[in-house]
Amino acid sequence: MIEAFDVIENTEVRKEFSEAFDKLDHIELIQLLSDLKYLPFKAFEDDFVDETELANAIARFRLEYQNALALPEASNINDIRKASEAIESELLTSDKLTRREQFVIREIVGLDNELIIHEVEIDACTLLSRVILYRYRIYDLHKNVVPNQRVTDTVIKKLQTSAKEIGFTQGWLALGNLLADQEALSVFCLESKVLSKHIFGHCIFIELLSKEGNKLIHKLDPEIDSKGLFTRNIDSKVARKHIRDLADHKNSDTKIAQVGVHIKGIPNRFMRRMLQVKLWTVGLYQRKLDHDFGPLSTEALVEYIQTITDNKRELGRILFNLGDYQCAINIHRLLTEHFIPVEQSSIHENHSSVSQIYDFVLEDKASHIKTAKQKQKRQLEKESEKLKKTLEVDLRAESDTINKGTRIKVRQYKAKKGILKFFSKLFRFIKNVVKKILELFKKLFNVIKKSIQIIYSEIKEAFQNFRYGLKFLFGKRIINPTTAITTDYDFDFDGITMIHKKPTAEELQTHTTEVKKYSSALYPTLNFVRIVITWGIRFATGPIGWVKILVSIAKLFREMLTKEVKIRLV
């Protein structure tokens, strides 16, 4: 049987990738369990956990997960479970989660409306209560609440108080769901009477007092020093006047103190944290969530703005240097013009992965341009090759940092959906316009360092799915999980389904699920062949014959998956 890593002929690189993927699996396991406090938070930061402690954490999660499934009226977790069944099933072990379980826990700690919770058991610590408390903690709404606490009356009072502090009146549980819905949260921040009181509905404030912050201010100053540009784009007259007064204040100490008061206020603290979380979920901010919107958060914001807009002056409309390393952010414009449109956008069916988006630029778009002049086509090819080489170098470097244990601790699985929407927005303006595509290449270079970790994880998943796809392709290709039905596929995926006896509804469902499982493994296998091999591991192997063979298999897969299964009664 062909193993996934056998496609890499370079044994040194094969070993390097194998070790890195094993370590990445372990890192993800710890971070998933520590997010919900099945393991201590420091377990992820320290990258260490006792084997017994890990086994206990996994056992606890499995018990609470089954209990949650038994209460379908309490949440939509059964929908998440059904979605996970498309993944290849595995035997349970005490030392790691199965791939289905990893999918489930990623979804339930997601912050993009994946898990909706209708009720939580009072005076108990359950999976659903862990998720709600985790969400409150992410947004720093109550310092003393941790996910493994029992939801007692005292805890509920704390959560209710936190909700009222930001102007939310629909209850602590409803706020828990809102915190995991980025679009709804953006709208709430604009409409909340508390968060929009006085100037905060239009502007929030940050300080960049560190050495790194000072350097960033000096670097950005030419773009963020126009008081007129910034204030003209503030809707509120009161807010405009307040910003002008601060910028023109003759007494620097008084101005610094006044902005300092704004920064410490609840509206500013929450909106600042909310913005940091949004940048975190799209993968541009990759460090700890903290109380300080510092230089790294600001850099992520600048990257976001410069990536999703073509207007070079837009940064000056969003960010303004008040002097003394204090800045104002036009939060209203930022949310309405740049975050909400991305949060509302659907991901194009051809952009189902980050690596496919790169592939769309590197291969498809560049090759289908008919209106470009020969010089422009050569320029596109040159930029495409440059981006490929950058990807190859960074993929190898990412593998090296994982193996050496120097990789930044990033909860990157949260970023994947967000960064897909983020990247998809870049493709809205591509209509075979060469100038726009060349501009897109420049933007991708700007964010490639940030997204390389997500792409690397995709490659890991592709390797795993590749193994399952090959197992099905080169195996017997017979699906018969029950004695009632058997589906036998030819090499070209013509299927003959034989019904041996009248199947029950449960047997039909079991058989359908099994067919979907193998089909779902074939799609990522196709992606692996078409994307990962073409530019993800090419640097490790060189242009060798098996690439053409696998590309042929990829074309075969495409034909397979478009054919209908023929059913014959026997």
Side-chain angles (χ1 to χ4, degrees), residues 103-193:
F103 172 86
V104 168
I105 198 169
R106 284 192 188 109
E107 290 292 292
I108 64 179
V109 298
L111 297 171
D112 198 19
N113 210 26
E114 294 92 346
L115 177 65
I116 302 171
I117 300 172
H118 306 300
E119 59 183 76
V120 171
E121 187 178 348
I122 304 302
D123 202 30
C125 175
T126 66
L127 178 58
L128 300 184
S129 71
R130 287 178 189 267
V131 173
I132 288 292
L133 298 183
Y134 163 76
R135 292 171 181 174
Y136 272 79
R137 186 176 179 85
I138 284 293
Y139 288 93
D140 194 32
L141 284 172
H142 206 293
K143 296 178 182 178
N144 298 323
V145 170
V146 291
N148 62 343
Q149 280 184 269
R150 290 183 298 113
V151 181
T152 62
D153 290 339
T154 302
V155 169
I156 291 175
K157 287 179 181 178
K158 291 179 180 178
L159 301 182
Q160 294 281 33
T161 300
S162 298
K164 289 178 182 178
E165 284 180 345
I166 61 172
F168 191 85
T169 59
Q170 299 175 37
W172 65 276
L173 185 57
L175 178 57
N177 284 316
L178 179 74
L179 296 175
D181 185 340
Q182 293 302 310
E183 181 188 349
L185 181 59
S186 296
V187 173
F188 167 74
C189 288
L190 295 172
E191 296 178 349
S192 166
K193 292 182 179 179

Side-chain angles (χ1 to χ4, degrees), residues 283-324:
L284 293 180
Y285 178 71
Q286 300 188 347
R287 298 297 180 93
K288 280 185 179 181
L289 294 174
D290 51 31
H291 306 292
D292 177 33
F293 197 96
L296 293 177
S297 300
T298 306
E299 281 184 338
L301 174 61
V302 171
E303 276 186 310
Y304 185 86
I305 295 167
Q306 292 179 340
T307 303
I308 65 175
T309 179
D310 296 324
N311 195 319
K312 295 181 180 180
R313 302 192 73 194
E314 185 63 15
L315 180 60
R317 298 184 180 104
I318 300 294
L319 188 64
F320 175 53
N321 180 13
L322 290 166
D324 301 298

Side-chain angles (χ1 to χ4, degrees), residues 43-275:
F44 174 59
E45 303 300 332
D46 297 342
D47 195 19
F48 174 79
V49 62
D50 179 78
E51 290 183 5
T52 302
E53 187 178 30
L54 178 60
N56 290 338
I58 292 172
R60 181 70 178 174
F61 164 72
R62 285 171 175 162
L63 175 62
E64 293 183 5
Y65 175 43
Q66 292 304 316
N67 291 341
L69 291 174
L71 298 171
E73 71 284 353
S75 71
N76 67 331
I77 197 168
N78 273 287
D79 293 336
I80 296 174
R81 175 192 59 79
K82 290 176 183 177
S84 74
E85 290 178 351
I87 300 171
E88 178 81 8
S89 62
E90 303 170 63
L91 293 175
L92 297 181
T93 62
S94 62
D95 62 337
K96 66 178 182 179
L97 297 173
T98 66
R99 293 175 65 227
R100 284 187 180 182
E101 290 172 330
Q102 288 185 36
F103 172 86
V104 168
I105 198 169
R106 284 192 188 109
E107 290 292 292
I108 64 179
V109 298
L111 297 171
D112 198 19
N113 210 26
E114 294 92 346
L115 177 65
I116 302 171
I117 300 172
H118 306 300
E119 59 183 76
V120 171
E121 187 178 348
I122 304 302
D123 202 30
C125 175
T126 66
L127 178 58
L128 300 184
S129 71
R130 287 178 189 267
V131 173
I132 288 292
L133 298 183
Y134 163 76
R135 292 171 181 174
Y136 272 79
R137 186 176 179 85
I138 284 293
Y139 288 93
D140 194 32
L141 284 172
H142 206 293
K143 296 178 182 178
N144 298 323
V145 170
V146 291
N148 62 343
Q149 280 184 269
R150 290 183 298 113
V151 181
T152 62
D153 290 339
T154 302
V155 169
I156 291 175
K157 287 179 181 178
K158 291 179 180 178
L159 301 182
Q160 294 281 33
T161 300
S162 298
K164 289 178 182 178
E165 284 180 345
I166 61 172
F168 191 85
T169 59
Q170 299 175 37
W172 65 276
L173 185 57
L175 178 57
N177 284 316
L178 179 74
L179 296 175
D181 185 340
Q182 293 302 310
E183 181 188 349
L185 181 59
S186 296
V187 173
F188 167 74
C189 288
L190 295 172
E191 296 178 349
S192 166
K193 292 182 179 179
V194 173
L195 297 179
S196 61
K197 186 178 180 181
H198 187 38
I199 192 174
F200 295 112
H202 297 273
C203 295
I204 61 173
F205 302 88
I206 62 174
E207 284 182 317
L208 301 173
L209 301 177
S210 67
K211 184 178 179 181
E212 292 77 13
N214 295 348
K215 288 181 179 179
L216 181 61
I217 289 288
H218 287 301
K219 176 183 175 182
L220 297 175
D221 195 54
E223 299 178 69
I224 63 172
D225 68 342
S226 175
K227 178 180 64 178
L229 177 62
F230 185 78
T231 55
R232 282 196 302 272
N233 289 278
I234 300 175
D235 293 338
S236 165
K237 291 182 179 180
V238 174
R240 279 200 299 272
K241 183 179 183 304
H242 191 68
I243 293 295
R244 289 194 187 108
D245 290 345
L246 288 172
D248 296 337
H249 210 295
K250 294 181 180 180
N251 190 317
S252 179
D253 292 339
T254 303
K255 187 268 296 183
I256 292 172
Q258 195 171 349
V259 173
V261 171
H262 288 328
I263 287 174
K264 293 177 182 177
I266 290 176
N268 199 86
R269 282 173 60 88
F270 179 77
M271 298 275 263
R272 189 176 58 187
R273 183 63 167 247
M274 174 273 299
L275 180 54

Side-chain angles (χ1 to χ4, degrees), residues 334-348:
L334 183 59
L335 291 177
T336 55
E337 298 293 326
H338 300 301
F339 272 104
I340 291 177
V342 172
E343 290 158 359
Q344 289 176 335
S345 66
S346 59
I347 300 172
H348 193 278

